[in-house]
């Protein structure tokens, strides 16, 4: 390996699956890597080229495009690419180019193949084809993950006119006929058309035209059972029952939706949308994407990253549409996200938090352009379901749409005078991530701010104190301290008392170690490498974070399946005794590390 990268061992051990390798395995792998450097705009590989191997981005950014030249993703440091190009007989099915000066580590195809053959962790991590099959494989998906819950039903004695009105008003293609939750039959649009063709009176009971005792399946059946039953009997709707009780419905539309929804598809459609309204039709499918990804067993950081990619694409598309409407920007600018989008940790519940950094050459007369641009993009994101930040942490707020020199003054003042408001603002702004525009406006500012903040022990101590305000919901009795009153009584706030305490810890460790990534998992892993967090502490905290985050996503997926809006309030009764025990242990780990951090800083 080139001597110019002496930190390669540390770099690789901060990445999965290399972090699970033995020292001997890692040494062999390091010897196999080759250094590749690319200038801005230079192609790393083109569509249809023989794939050289696996690329790991060591520095810079790479844009990946599909066979239709539509952007699929923007990859940064620590991301891998190239394994996607091994899908079709060793030829690349995507293209990749350097967005800026970029350094990649290339693991040649032969060495990559050996790695997959010899290392189980690597094989699981890079086996994209197996992952895709799992995500979209009906044979491994339960009917309860496909069905529409609480389907529309009517009594047997209602008129066919009333049934037709129900189908029209709910925009559905069939209606279950039930008595006291027990299924009696099913009536479809085709049945109603037959009644109309035969000129039956409008007050004819629906029981007269329904299909009685229709074929049904149980929620525990698998998706391929649905498909086979539909094809064999030439039907398009199958009621789902537990005994005689109707609990759901699966239609051909449900099967089509399951097999079609993917983050890449959503990204592609948004990238081609002409209006915010068109984008909103795409982002409306994010809940179904979440259910599908969670149901397929994906890790939480994969689910949230893919969901965040959709938000990033929507933001960049709105920026492009704004420039088409307003004309080219008078000076360079950079749009940044903070909060969960900044950390690439969005779930099914996300508002928007963003800001603008402008080039210092901007004049007072030109500020109106950026106010209009911010309004266009923030309004568009709201239309897409990313609601306005309740705290007005938005680029439409003049305070957060300023030249670089003002931002530099902001950070300097917050660090020098860490009062409660400064701590809160600094916490938010340390999670900034560039989304669109001139990234150079942030690079120096981020490095400078991290350096200045980490050297100010008083500021760090205040940030530590701020990070301890959100505590895990541990109670002396019954294990958990649930919410005592109000709408969410007897539930756990899996965001503010579950995920946020770990996010806050990660931010402090990043500050101590001058760690640039803003993703929480990446911060914790890098904190172990820099010594800000012990290896054992990092492992425990990562395990605790993973358990809490995955329970949070599973809770949201269950809500979506029930037809409810997802939230962060989970009742402990949703979990088994074993799951509750594990969750409490995870909270104990977080509380212990909070206590240790607080003790170290007095």
């Amino acid at each position: 390996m080139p001597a110019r990268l002496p930190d390669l061992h540390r770099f690789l051990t901060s990445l999965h699956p290399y972090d699970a390798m033995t020292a001997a395995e890692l040494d062999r792998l390091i010897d196999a890597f080759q250094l590749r450097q690319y200038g801005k705009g230079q192609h790393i590989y083109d569509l249809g080229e023989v794939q050289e191997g696996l690329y790991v981005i060591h520095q810079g950014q790479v844009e990946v495009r599909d066979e239709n030249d539509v952007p699929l993703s923007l990859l940064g440091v620590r991301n891998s690419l190239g394994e996607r190009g091994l899908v079709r007989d060793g030829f690349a099915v995507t293209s990749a180019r350097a967005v800026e000066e970029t350094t990649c580590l290339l693991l040649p195809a032969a060495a990559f193949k050996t790695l997959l053959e010899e290392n189980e962790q690597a094989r699981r991590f890079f086996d994209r084809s197996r992952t895709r099959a799992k995500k979209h494989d009906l044979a491994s998906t339960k009917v309860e993950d496909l069905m529409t819950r609480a389907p529309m039903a009517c009594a047997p004695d209602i008129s066919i006119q009333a049934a037709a009105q129900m189908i029209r008003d709910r925009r559905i293609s069939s209606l279950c006929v039930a008595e006291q939750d027990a299924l009696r039959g099913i009536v479809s649009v085709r049945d109603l058309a037959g009644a109309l063709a035969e000129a039956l009176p409008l007050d004819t009971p629906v029981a007269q035209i329904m299909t009685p005792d229709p074929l049904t399946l149980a929620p525990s059946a698998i998706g391929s059972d649905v498909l086979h039953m539909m094809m064999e009997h030439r039907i398009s709707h199958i009621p789902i029952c537990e005994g005689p009780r109707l609990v759901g419905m699966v239609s051909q539309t449900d099967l089509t939706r399951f097999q079609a929804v993917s983050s890449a598809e959503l990204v592609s459609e948004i990238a081609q949308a002409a209006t915010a309204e068109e984008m909103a039709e795409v982002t409306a499918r994010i809940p179904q994407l979440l259910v599908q990804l969670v149901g397929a067993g994906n890790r939480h950081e994969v689910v949230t990253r893919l969901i965040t990619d959709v938000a990033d694409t929507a933001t960049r598309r709105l920026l492009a549409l704004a420039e088409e409407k307003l004309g080219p920007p008078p000076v360079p600018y950079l749009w940044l996200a903070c909060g969960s989008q900044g950390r690439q940790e969005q779930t099914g519940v996300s508002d928007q938090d963003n800001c603008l950094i402008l080039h210092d050459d901007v004049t007072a007369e030109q500020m109106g352009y950026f106010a209009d641009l911010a309004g266009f993009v923030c309004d568009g994101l709201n239309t897409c379901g990313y609601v306005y930040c309740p705290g007005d942490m938005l680029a439409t707020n003049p305070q957060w749409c300023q030249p670089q020199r003002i931002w530099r003054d902001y950070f300097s003042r917050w660090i020098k005078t860490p009062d409660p408001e400064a701590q809160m603002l600094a916490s938010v702004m340390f999670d900034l991530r560039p989304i669109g525009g001139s990234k150079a406006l942030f690079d120096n500012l981020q490095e400078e701010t991290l350096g200045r903040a980490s050297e100010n022990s008083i500021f760090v101590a205040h940030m530590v104190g701020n990070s301890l305000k959100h505590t895990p919901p541990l109670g002396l009795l019954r294990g958990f301290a649930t919410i005592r009153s109000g709408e969410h009584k007897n539930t756990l706030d899996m965001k503010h008392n579950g995920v946020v305490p770990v996010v806050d810890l990660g931010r402090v460790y990043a500050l101590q170690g001058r760690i640039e990534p803003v993703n929480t998992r990446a911060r914790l892993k890098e904190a172990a490498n820099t010594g800000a967090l012990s290896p054992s502490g990092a492992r425990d905290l990562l395990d605790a974070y993973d358990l809490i985050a995955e329970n949070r996503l599973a809770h949201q997926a269950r809500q979506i399946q029930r037809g409810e809006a997802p939230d962060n309030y989970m009742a402990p009764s949703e979990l088994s005794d074993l799951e509750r025990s594990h969750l409490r242990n995870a909270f104990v780990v977080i509380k212990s590390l909070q206590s240790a951090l607080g003790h170290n800083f007095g």
Side-chain angles (χ1 to χ4, degrees):
M1 187 63 215
R4 281 180 290 174
L5 294 177
D7 63 336
L8 183 58
H9 189 280
R10 190 183 75 175
F11 176 76
L12 288 178
T13 53
S14 70
L15 301 175
H16 193 66
Y18 315 107
D19 57 351
M21 294 181 182
T22 66
E25 288 174 329
L26 198 57
D27 286 341
R28 287 197 299 272
L29 199 62
I30 287 174
D31 290 337
F33 272 110
Q34 300 175 8
L35 179 67
R36 295 293 177 88
Q37 294 179 309
Y38 305 91
K40 180 179 179 180
Q42 185 176 352
H43 279 258
I44 297 172
Y45 59 79
D46 286 317
L47 182 72
E49 285 186 352
V50 175
Q51 193 67 28
E52 289 190 85
L54 175 76
Y55 298 82
V56 182
I57 303 174
H58 187 269
Q59 181 181 351
Q61 284 189 319
V62 175
E63 182 184 61
V64 178
R65 290 176 171 261
D66 67 11
E67 57 190 357
N68 297 312
D69 202 35
V70 174
L72 285 178
S73 58
L74 186 65
L75 304 178
V77 175
R78 292 180 172 80
N79 288 147
S80 298
L81 65 152
E83 73 274 14
R84 298 178 180 85
L86 298 177
V87 175
R88 297 178 191 165
D89 302 321
F91 293 91
V93 295
T94 59
S95 62
R97 69 175 183 86
V99 177
E100 58 190 38
E101 295 288 330
T102 298
T103 301
C104 289
L105 306 173
L106 171 65
L107 185 63
F112 183 35
K113 180 180 178 182
T114 301
L115 173 65
L116 297 181
E117 292 171 347
E118 297 179 352
N119 189 285
E120 175 66 19
Q121 291 279 357
R123 186 159 58 249
R124 289 180 181 176
F125 183 77
F126 289 114
D127 191 353
R128 305 287 181 178
S129 59
R130 183 174 63 84
T131 302
R132 277 197 301 273
K134 186 176 182 185
K135 289 175 187 176
H136 299 285
D137 186 5
L138 288 172
S140 62
T141 303
K142 288 187 177 181
V143 165
E144 64 183 356
D145 293 326
L146 288 171
M147 69 184 189
T148 299
R149 296 173 185 266
M152 194 68 181
C154 67
D157 58 355
I158 76 162
S159 68
I160 59 175
Q161 182 181 32
Q165 290 170 340
M166 293 174 70
I167 285 177
R168 178 200 63 192
D169 294 343
R170 292 295 295 269
R171 297 182 179 181
I172 53 180
S173 54
S174 68
L175 190 63
C176 291
V177 181
E179 288 182 300
Q180 298 180 344
D181 291 335
L183 181 68
R184 294 289 178 259
I186 185 171
V187 60
S188 67
V189 171
R190 181 182 297 177
D191 296 325
L192 291 170
L196 180 63
E198 294 176 13
L200 293 181
L202 295 179
D203 60 357
T204 301
V206 74
Q208 188 172 325
I209 67 166
M210 72 180 186
T211 300
D213 302 319
L215 294 169
T216 66
L217 285 171
S220 58
I222 59 176
S224 57
D225 293 337
V226 176
L227 182 59
H228 294 166
M229 185 177 285
M230 285 182 175
M231 296 184 70
E232 179 181 355
H233 299 281
R234 298 183 180 181
I235 55 179
S236 57
H237 301 81
I238 298 179
I240 308 302
C241 296
E242 288 182 332
R245 187 169 66 92
L246 175 68
V247 295
M249 171 73 80
V250 179
S251 67
Q252 284 185 339
T253 301
D254 294 321
L255 293 185
T256 301
R257 185 185 300 117
F258 171 81
Q259 293 174 310
V261 175
S262 72
S263 60
E265 179 192 6
L266 301 190
V267 164
S268 177
E269 291 184 28
I270 288 173
Q272 300 175 67
T275 64
E277 287 72 22
E278 288 183 18
M279 291 184 220
E281 294 179 6
V282 182
T283 55
R285 285 146 51 196
I286 289 177
Q288 180 62 31
L289 174 65
L290 184 147
V291 170
Q292 187 167 307
L293 291 171
V294 172
N298 287 282
R299 291 177 58 89
H300 71 93
E301 69 268 25
V302 174
V303 178
T304 55
R305 170 63 185 269
L306 294 176
I307 289 175
T308 304
D309 283 349
V310 177
D312 289 354
T313 304
T315 305
R316 284 190 287 270
R317 183 58 182 150
L318 286 166
L319 286 169
L321 292 174
E323 290 189 22
E324 288 180 14
K325 177 181 178 181
L326 303 173
V331 297
Y333 71 87
L334 179 62
W335 185 281
L336 304 99
C338 44
S340 60
Q341 184 184 0
R343 297 189 304 273
Q344 296 178 299
E345 294 167 3
Q346 286 190 312
T347 67
V349 188
S350 297
D351 56 8
Q352 54 171 301
D353 302 271
N354 44 60
C355 63
L356 272 168
I357 298 178
L358 312 178
H359 194 279
D360 283 340
D361 289 344
V362 66
T363 64
E365 292 76 19
Q366 293 168 339
M367 291 297 290
Y369 174 95
F370 293 105
D372 292 341
L373 180 137
F376 184 95
V377 176
C378 288
D379 289 347
L381 289 172
N382 185 67
T383 298
C384 292
Y386 305 102
V387 298
Y388 302 115
C389 171
D392 203 23
M393 189 65 66
L394 297 168
T396 49
N397 182 339
Q399 185 177 5
W400 311 128
C401 176
Q402 291 291 337
Q404 188 188 51
R405 65 178 182 277
I406 302 298
W407 279 100
R408 185 172 280 108
D409 290 343
Y410 283 163
F411 281 110
S412 178
R413 186 167 68 250
W414 295 336
I415 293 167
K416 288 180 180 178
T417 313
D419 57 32
E421 182 184 14
Q423 294 171 40
M424 183 274 293
L425 293 172
S427 295
V428 172
M429 294 306 173
F430 275 127
D431 290 350
L432 287 175
R433 181 172 62 89
I435 302 297
S438 176
K439 189 174 180 292
L441 290 171
F442 185 62
D443 287 339
N444 293 338
L445 181 62
Q446 182 189 36
E447 183 179 355
E448 174 186 314
T449 302
L450 277 174
R452 184 181 301 165
S454 64
E455 293 170 357
N456 188 321
S457 58
I458 296 176
F459 175 78
V460 174
H462 278 280
M463 288 293 289
V464 169
N466 191 57
S467 73
L468 304 181
K469 291 180 179 178
H470 295 101
T471 57
L474 290 169
L476 295 177
L477 301 174
R478 296 183 298 174
F480 296 116
T482 56
I483 297 172
R484 295 184 178 181
S485 61
E487 179 185 359
H488 304 296
K489 183 179 179 181
N490 297 328
T491 66
L492 303 171
D493 186 339
M494 296 295 285
K495 177 181 178 180
H496 292 101
N497 299 117
V499 171
V500 168
V502 186
V503 171
D504 288 342
L505 287 172
R507 190 181 295 116
V508 170
Y509 296 139
L511 183 60
Q512 289 178 297
R514 301 189 185 186
I515 297 168
E516 292 186 2
V518 296
N519 175 264
T520 300
R521 253 188 144 269
R523 280 173 164 171
L524 297 180
K525 297 185 80 169
E526 187 64 19
N529 292 330
T530 61
L533 184 61
S534 70
S536 61
R539 284 194 300 270
D540 289 344
L541 189 53
L542 281 167
D543 287 344
Y545 177 54
D546 290 344
L547 183 67
I548 294 166
E550 284 168 8
N551 270 289
R552 178 192 184 197
L553 283 178
H555 162 70
Q556 292 185 2
R558 289 191 292 269
Q559 289 182 303
I560 294 166
Q561 288 174 313
R562 294 194 297 264
E564 302 170 3
D567 62 28
N568 294 298
Y569 300 97
M570 186 183 76
S573 58
E574 291 186 33
L575 306 176
S576 67
D577 289 343
L578 182 62
E579 289 170 329
R580 285 197 293 272
S581 176
H582 286 325
L583 184 60
R584 187 180 188 282
N585 289 340
F587 289 144
V588 169
V589 168
I590 297 169
K591 183 64 175 177
S592 299
L593 285 166
Q594 284 184 325
S595 298
L597 188 64
H599 177 76
N600 290 339
F601 281 86

